[in-house]
């Protein structure tokens, strides 16, 4: 059941690719639920540490307004003990989690907001902000924090959406948006001017057919990551 719901969710997400207005509307619907769920977890002092599209399920088939977060295998209570385990999914992991170096380091709940930024980037652009076949090179790109905006699709994405992405994909966790600030961001308040619901349903039907039995690409895998000393 979980695999079926996950596949259904990924298919629904795929409808956003290359359709600027539908992408913005759909991404906002999904992203708002995601950030609200993260806020609920953080209010309970729980950090997920493995947020990604594959861990987002549909409570109702083909209904993107019923998103649920799954797989709490790497989740942990924070506040009393510092978080230091290098874990997660490579393409979604925050730079502070894979900081590396010889000195001890820790990280906090801000790592979940980075993963939220990666998810939003994929929803709007159709591909991850950081990608490389080599994991060490991928981690280097993540630590540099320069998302790949080269695709023409970003010409159709609003400045407000890009601003939200840049503030979520900030390599400095202290400067990264909190859940409260993410929910209050101007892009989250925008309403499409045209009848986007009709476009959304029509595009969902088209993309479900186009992507039936197809994967969305190498979006990573859950794993405990390697020794940070070997990342460089």
């Amino acid at each position: 059941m979980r695999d079926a719901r996950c596949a259904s969710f990924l298919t629904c997400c795929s409808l956003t690719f290359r359709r600027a207005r539908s992408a913005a509307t759909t991404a906002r619907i999904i992203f708002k639920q995601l950030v609200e769920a993260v806020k609920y977890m953080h209010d309970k002092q729980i950090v997920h540490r493995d947020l990604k599209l594959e861990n987002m399920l549909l409570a109702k088939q083909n209904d993107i307004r019923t998103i649920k977060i799954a797989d709490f295998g790497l989740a942990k209570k924070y506040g009393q003990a510092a978080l230091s385990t290098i874990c997660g999914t490579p393409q979604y992991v925050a730079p502070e989690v894979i900081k590396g170096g010889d000195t001890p380091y820790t990280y906090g709940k801000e790592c979940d907001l980075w993963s939220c930024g990666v998810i939003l980037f994929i929803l709007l652009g159709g591909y991850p902000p950081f990608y490389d076949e080599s994991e060490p090179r991928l981690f280097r790109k993540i630590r540099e924090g320069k998302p790949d905006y080269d695709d023409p699709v970003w010409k159709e994405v609003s400045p407000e959406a890009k601003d939200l992405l840049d503030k979520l994909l900030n390599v400095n966790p202290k400067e990264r948006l909190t859940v409260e600030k993410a929910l209050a961001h101007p892009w989250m308040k925008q309403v499409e001017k045209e009848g986007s619901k009709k476009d959304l349903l029509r595009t969902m039907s088209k993309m479900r057919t186009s992507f039936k039995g197809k994967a969305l690409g190498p979006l990573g895998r859950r794993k405990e990551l390697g020794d940070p000393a070997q990342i460089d």
Side-chain angles (χ1 to χ4, degrees), residues 114-133:
W114 175 279
S115 300
C116 287
V118 174
I119 290 170
L120 179 59
F121 189 103
I122 296 172
L123 291 173
L124 290 171
Y127 63 94
F130 310 100
Y131 179 75
D132 200 291
E133 292 289 344

Side-chain angles (χ1 to χ4, degrees), residues 1-11 53-58 61 70-71 214:
M1 177 64 75
R2 179 186 182 280
D3 290 343
R5 288 182 178 179
C6 182
S8 180
F9 173 72
L10 291 175
T11 300
L53 287 175
E54 295 91 328
N55 284 341
M56 298 170 66
L57 311 181
L58 296 175
Q61 187 175 7
D71 196 347
K214 298 180 181 179

Side-chain angles (χ1 to χ4, degrees), residues 157-173:
V157 176
S158 72
E160 292 83 3
K162 293 176 184 176
D163 179 72
L164 175 56
L165 283 169
D166 289 340
K167 290 177 177 177
L168 288 169
L169 297 175
N170 189 322
V171 295
N172 186 340

Side-chain angles (χ1 to χ4, degrees), residues 195-213:
S196 58
K197 185 175 181 181
K198 182 177 180 180
D199 288 341
L200 176 62
L201 294 174
R202 182 171 60 249
T203 309
M204 287 176 73
S205 177
K206 178 181 177 182
M207 296 303 288
R208 278 200 302 268
T209 301
S210 299
F211 281 82
K212 187 175 182 181

Side-chain angles (χ1 to χ4, degrees), residues 211-229:
F211 281 82
K212 187 175 182 181
K214 298 180 181 179
L216 292 181
L219 295 180
R221 60 196 186 280
R222 194 191 98 178
K223 59 181 288 186
E224 289 200 4
L225 305 176
D227 186 338

